[in-house]
Amino acid sequence: NSALLITQTGKVEIRIFDLQGRLVNQLVSEYQEVGKYSVVWNGCDNNGVPVPSGIYFYQLNTGSYSKTRKAILMK
């Protein structure tokens, strides 16, 4: 669970990657207004299949901003 503050209206993307850099899940890909948002990843891939516990990376992209951080999925 992550609280996100969007400071500029525009397209927002939040994606989860595995350690090999493969896309696991696209959580958000939509136009967002300025504001605070909350995102929850259910631990599944884009097909709804649960992924194993381990280290993943989440990436937030907006028009002029990009951030990648490490996340640990524990089941």
Side-chain angles (χ1 to χ4, degrees):
N1 191 356
S2 251
L4 305 170
L5 178 61
I6 304 301
T7 58
Q8 210 173 22
T9 298
K11 184 168 182 178
V12 175
E13 293 184 327
I14 301 173
R15 299 179 291 181
I16 306 290
F17 295 91
D18 64 16
L19 285 174
Q20 288 75 39
R22 294 179 296 230
L23 179 64
V24 173
N25 198 320
Q26 176 95 27
L27 299 179
V28 176
S29 180
E30 58 190 35
Y31 183 87
Q32 297 280 358
E33 298 290 333
V34 171
K36 193 172 188 178
Y37 296 87
S38 181
V39 177
V40 177
W41 177 36
N42 63 4
C44 293
D45 66 15
N46 275 328
N47 298 314
V49 177
V51 298
S53 296
I55 298 173
Y56 293 87
F57 294 93
Y58 67 92
Q59 183 178 65
L60 167 66
N61 290 310
T62 64
S64 61
Y65 179 79
S66 181
K67 175 172 85 170
T68 302
R69 295 283 190 255
K70 181 169 59 172
I72 300 173
L73 176 64
M74 297 171 60
K75 296 183 178 184

